[in-house]
Amino acid sequence: SVLDQNGNTISTSYHKDGKIRRRTVRTPNLDTIEEYSSPEELASRRKRDQRLLDKGYITQEQFDEKYNK
């Protein structure tokens, strides 16, 4: 994580090939003001959440809220 000139925290994670996997910018109050996830990261999260749904750890409504807007 790094701080920008406004005191915001920027967290970035990368794929092995160097492309950005996920980037999040949060204010000093920890409010998220920007979030980016690569298509690969989104597909991975959806697959993980589908397993959680299948096992009953999350509801269909929670899954739909996240992925079927």
Side-chain angles (χ1 to χ4, degrees):
S1 295
V2 296
L3 288 176
D4 69 8
Q5 67 273 16
N6 298 319
N8 298 322
T9 303
I10 303 171
S11 302
T12 309
S13 58
Y14 298 90
H15 290 286
K16 289 180 182 178
D17 63 7
K19 292 181 183 172
I20 292 176
R21 188 177 113 212
R22 188 170 181 190
R23 181 176 188 268
T24 306
V25 181
R26 289 192 174 90
T27 66
N29 295 336
L30 299 180
D31 296 319
T32 300
I33 55 175
E34 180 184 326
E35 188 165 25
Y36 164 80
S37 295
S38 70
E40 299 87 355
E41 175 70 8
L42 292 175
S44 172
R45 277 200 239 156
R46 184 183 179 111
K47 189 184 239 182
R48 181 194 67 223
D49 287 345
Q50 182 66 53
R51 285 194 301 269
L52 292 175
L53 175 63
D54 293 345
K55 291 181 179 187
Y57 293 115
I58 63 172
T59 65
Q60 184 67 52
E61 292 80 18
Q62 289 169 313
F63 185 86
D64 289 344
E65 168 75 20
K66 201 167 184 182
Y67 297 104
N68 299 324
K69 293 180 182 178

